[in-house]
């Protein structure tokens, strides 16, 4: 192999392909003319998709949740039992998937693909039926699905259905305070189109690398050479459009398995090609999986191989690109003490942002009164109908409480909202929150839908169970909606 002082043939075609892939020439800027000459302009990648799954999307609360999410520009996936009915209620601009919580086989991977949060508004339908008796034996009527003779009961919908939903939920929703940016254990065409090789060929060198998707990881590998005064290989993303906003996080977490060499992670907060790279060096141990945490505050600003002493630091609010590099140099001309020319390999399992305050990833609409059936000393005459008739309704509140317990034990950050009697009245009323399951009253479905969405962005809502009603005259105000945050005065479970 040629040494640093030797000359080796320079591959100009690879140089042009590199520039074409990233769409820039380092010293001139845009090279759109070059892209057109060599196969058209490359489309920049989008950040990883984010989807809110709404379960029970055709119900009174669910359909309102879908509408509000759409109005906020949030991608929605609606889980419904009857697709035709879903289209009639939600329209054809919603991603509708037909599935049934009580039939786990219908909760396929497609249901949960790219899902980053779930709002569960499912529930057993109860309504008076013809021939109802004074003891209300026929009050309960389940929702029919698939076969006319199949009728759901509360245990299946409120408890086992929630179990099936939790079992189908991806582990990514259990990562408290983290956001997966790249999951190389699930290779797809978008990953391949996002990352490209950027080697010393751009400076006349002959090193060559690539990123191979090998099923359970991505393999950054190739040959690094110091010929022609070269000595670095790297893989870099095309610029994100729009840039990633990671301002709520503390840093980047890499899950890797290396070869004993020292690598660099580089982030860029400027869309220009020849911009400041914020660098962090990390050592690997041969063939040992490692988790590398890179605090944003420890990233070193480097421009054209020189560190910048007076730089204000990395701006995680606008992240345009990531890069992984193996180089013979550290910083300011210092050599990488673990550099060796030749073959290298670094397996990458995932790239995450970490350190965010946990927020609910599952918001469940339950019901006030779930703890009251069978409670000693309770005056049933003063309780809502659902509490008085829990046994006649198939133990609906009892099974709702069991479903809540499934959510609490799931390790998914959650918020459980227990509305009092829900109405079709317009929303916008002041809300009263309480804990302990004692309040009675009513609340608009409009307000519950809005509350579900707000809970997704409230760290103080994490692992909280709360009863909700519209604030009425005479209600004590200390638990009403506070200015400091909807759930700020409440205690986690």
């Amino acid at each position: 192999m040629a040494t640093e002082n030797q000359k080796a043939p320079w591959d100009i075609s690879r140089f042009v392909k590199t520039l074409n892939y990233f769409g820039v020439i380092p010293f001139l800027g845009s090279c759109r003319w070059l892209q057109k000459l060599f196969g058209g302009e490359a489309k920049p990648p989008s950040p990883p998709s984010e989807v809110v799954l709404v379960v029970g999307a055709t119900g009174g609360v669910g359909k309102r949740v879908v509408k509000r999410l759409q109005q906020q520009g949030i991608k929605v996936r609606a889980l419904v039992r009857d697709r035709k009915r879903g289209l009639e209620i939600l329209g054809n601009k919603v991603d509708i998937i037909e599935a049934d919580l009580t039939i786990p086989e219908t909760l396929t991977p497609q249901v949960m693909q790219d899902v980053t949060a779930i709002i569960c508004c499912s529930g057993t339908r109860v309504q008076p039926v013809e021939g109802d008796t004074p003891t209300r034996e026929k009050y309960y009527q389940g929702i029919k699905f698939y076969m006319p003779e199949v009728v759901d009961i509360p245990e299946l919908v409120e408890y086992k259905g929630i179990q099936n939903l939790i079992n189908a939920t991806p582990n990514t929703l259990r990562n408290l305070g983290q956001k997966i940016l790249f999951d190389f254990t699930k290779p797809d065409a978008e990953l391949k189109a996002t990352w490209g090789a950027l080697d010393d060929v751009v400076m006349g060198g002959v090193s060559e690398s690539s990123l191979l998707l090998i099923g359970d990881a991505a393999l950054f590998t190739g040959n690094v050479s110091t010929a022609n005064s070269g000595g670095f290989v790297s893989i870099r993303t095309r610029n994100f459009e729009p840039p990633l906003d990671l301002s709520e996080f503390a840093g980047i977490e890499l899950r890797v398995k290396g070869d004993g060499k020292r690598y660099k992670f580089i982030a860029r907060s400027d869309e220009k090609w020849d911009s400041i790279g914020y660098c962090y060096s990390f050592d690997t141990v041969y063939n040992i999986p490692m988790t590398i945490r890179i605090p944003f505050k420890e990233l070193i600003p480097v421009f054209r191989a020189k560190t910048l002493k007076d730089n204000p630091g990395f701006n995680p609010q606008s992240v345009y690109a990531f890069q992984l590099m193996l180089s013979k140099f550290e910083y300011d001309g210092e050599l990488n003490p673990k550099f060796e020319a030749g073959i290298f390999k670094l397996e990458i399992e995932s790239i995450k942002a970490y350190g965010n305050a946990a927020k609910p990833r599952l918001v469940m609409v339950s019901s006030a009164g779930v703890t009251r059936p069978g409670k000693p000393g309770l005056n049933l005459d003063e309780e809502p109908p659902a509490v008085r008739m829990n046994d006649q309704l198939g133990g609906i509140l009892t099974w709702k409480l069991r479903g809540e317990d499934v959510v609490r034990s799931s390790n998914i950050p959650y918020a459980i909202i227990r509305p009092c009697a829900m109405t079709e009245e317009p929303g916008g009323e002041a809300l009263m929150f309480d804990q302990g399951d004692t309040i009675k009253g009513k609340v608009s479905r409009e307000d519950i839908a809005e509350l579900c969405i707000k809970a997704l962005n409230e760290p103080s809502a994490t692992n909280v169970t709360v009863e909700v009603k519209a604030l009425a005259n005479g209600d004590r105000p200390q638990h009403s909606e506070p200015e400091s945050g909807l759930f700020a005065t409440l205690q986690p479970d």
Side-chain angles (χ1 to χ4, degrees):
M1 183 172 61
T3 65
E4 183 171 359
N5 295 324
Q6 292 177 324
K7 286 290 184 180
W10 181 52
D11 190 344
I12 190 171
S13 66
R14 191 157 63 88
F15 169 75
V16 172
K17 287 179 181 178
T18 299
L19 297 183
N20 182 45
Y21 182 88
F22 290 101
V24 287
I25 297 177
F27 48 88
L28 290 180
S30 174
C31 70
R32 294 185 182 274
W33 62 272
L34 195 59
Q35 289 178 325
K36 292 178 180 178
L37 183 64
F38 290 89
E41 296 188 32
K43 295 182 179 180
S46 301
S49 300
E50 296 192 8
V51 179
V52 176
L53 177 68
V54 180
V55 181
T58 56
V61 175
K63 65 184 180 183
R64 291 170 167 87
V65 169
V66 170
K67 181 179 179 180
R68 279 164 170 72
L69 289 171
Q70 287 181 303
Q71 290 171 343
Q72 295 178 25
I74 299 172
K75 188 174 180 181
V76 186
R77 180 169 301 141
L79 190 150
V80 302
R81 292 184 167 193
D82 186 330
R83 181 176 177 81
K84 181 179 178 181
R85 184 168 183 265
L87 287 169
E88 291 173 353
I89 294 175
L90 305 175
N92 58 8
K93 294 183 178 180
V94 180
D95 178 11
I96 295 177
I97 290 188
E98 186 177 87
D100 187 342
L101 295 186
T102 69
I103 306 175
E105 294 80 11
T106 66
L107 299 174
T108 63
Q110 181 187 7
V111 173
M112 294 293 178
Q113 184 176 356
D114 298 325
V115 166
T116 55
I118 299 171
I119 298 179
C120 184
C121 311
S122 63
T124 307
R125 181 181 299 173
V126 292
Q127 61 185 29
V129 296
E130 186 177 356
D132 201 4
T133 65
T135 54
R136 311 302 297 274
E137 292 96 340
K138 297 184 179 179
Y139 186 81
Y140 166 72
Q141 181 185 40
I143 303 172
K144 296 183 178 181
F145 183 67
Y146 290 129
M147 299 172 60
E149 66 271 17
V150 176
V151 178
D152 285 334
I153 61 175
E155 179 183 2
L156 294 179
V157 177
E158 310 291 351
Y159 171 53
K160 292 185 178 179
I162 298 300
Q163 280 187 322
N164 295 334
L165 177 66
I166 295 300
N167 291 339
T169 300
N171 285 329
T172 52
L173 270 66
R174 293 175 170 84
N175 292 322
L176 294 176
Q178 295 185 338
K179 178 178 181 179
I180 292 184
L181 304 175
F182 294 100
D183 184 358
F184 295 104
T185 66
K186 300 176 181 178
D188 56 27
E190 185 176 349
L191 278 176
K192 197 170 184 178
T194 300
W195 290 83
L198 177 58
D199 304 324
D200 59 18
V201 68
V202 298
M203 301 174 63
V206 297
S207 300
E208 186 169 4
S209 72
S210 62
L211 185 70
L212 307 176
L213 301 179
I214 58 175
D216 57 352
L219 181 61
F220 173 35
T221 188
N223 181 65
V224 59
S225 170
T226 57
N228 298 4
S229 298
F232 79 84
V233 286
S234 77
I235 49 173
R236 176 172 166 171
T237 64
R238 291 168 168 164
N239 278 357
F240 305 123
E241 290 190 9
L244 299 177
D245 182 357
L246 302 179
S247 56
E248 295 182 353
F249 297 87
I252 296 295
E253 179 181 294
L254 309 177
R255 184 66 179 170
V256 299
K257 184 167 68 174
D259 52 5
K261 295 182 173 62
R262 175 175 293 181
Y263 292 84
K264 289 179 184 177
F265 172 83
I266 304 172
R268 299 181 188 274
S269 57
D270 192 310
E271 63 182 328
K272 294 192 295 292
W273 171 269
D274 191 18
S275 62
I276 297 172
Y278 292 84
C279 304
Y280 183 93
S281 296
F282 62 94
D283 294 329
T284 63
V285 179
Y286 179 76
N287 208 35
I288 298 296
M290 304 176 66
T291 298
I292 309 296
R293 283 205 160 182
I294 305 169
F296 289 140
K297 63 183 180 181
E298 293 187 19
L299 289 170
I300 299 172
V302 177
F303 184 67
R304 296 181 181 176
K306 299 291 184 182
T307 57
L308 305 177
K309 304 302 182 184
D310 299 324
N311 184 273
F314 180 68
N315 177 17
Q317 189 171 5
S318 297
V319 182
Y320 280 92
F322 293 135
Q323 189 173 359
L324 284 165
M325 176 181 286
L326 172 62
S327 172
K328 70 177 181 181
F329 290 110
E330 275 285 271
Y331 310 105
D332 299 321
E334 294 292 326
L335 294 177
N336 178 351
K338 295 194 175 184
F339 177 81
E340 290 181 1
I343 303 298
F344 71 94
K345 62 177 184 178
L346 177 71
E347 288 187 22
I348 313 154
E349 182 178 308
S350 62
I351 300 177
K352 304 175 184 178
Y354 76 89
N356 185 24
K359 298 177 183 178
R361 296 297 84 196
L362 171 59
V363 178
M364 177 187 186
V365 179
S366 181
S367 173
V370 293
T371 67
R372 299 179 207 173
K375 190 174 183 178
L378 197 70
N379 186 349
L380 288 178
D381 293 336
E382 297 178 353
E383 293 299 320
V387 177
R388 297 198 307 268
M389 302 175 55
N390 183 59
D391 291 340
Q392 293 94 323
L393 298 177
I396 186 171
L397 294 181
T398 302
W399 293 115
K400 279 184 180 291
L401 182 60
R402 294 283 298 276
E404 289 184 6
D405 290 339
V406 171
V407 170
R408 293 189 188 95
S409 63
S410 68
N411 291 325
I412 301 171
Y414 66 84
I416 297 174
I417 297 173
R418 295 171 170 174
C420 291
M422 289 192 286
T423 73
E424 293 293 313
E425 296 175 4
E429 296 293 328
L431 300 180
M432 174 178 168
F433 302 138
D434 209 346
Q435 295 177 290
D437 196 17
T438 59
I439 63 173
K440 309 176 187 70
K442 63 181 182 177
V443 62
S444 167
R445 289 183 174 88
E446 298 276 353
D447 287 333
I448 293 300
E450 185 68 23
L451 187 61
C452 286
I453 297 172
K454 288 181 177 179
L456 292 178
N457 295 306
E458 287 272 358
S460 58
T462 303
N463 299 343
V464 162
T465 300
V466 58
E467 293 83 47
V468 185
K469 74 171 186 173
L471 190 65
N473 291 334
D475 285 331
R476 63 190 192 281
Q478 62 264 32
H479 290 293
S480 61
E481 182 176 328
E483 294 182 1
S484 58
L486 287 172
F487 300 86
T489 61
L490 303 174
Q491 296 298 314
D493 297 336

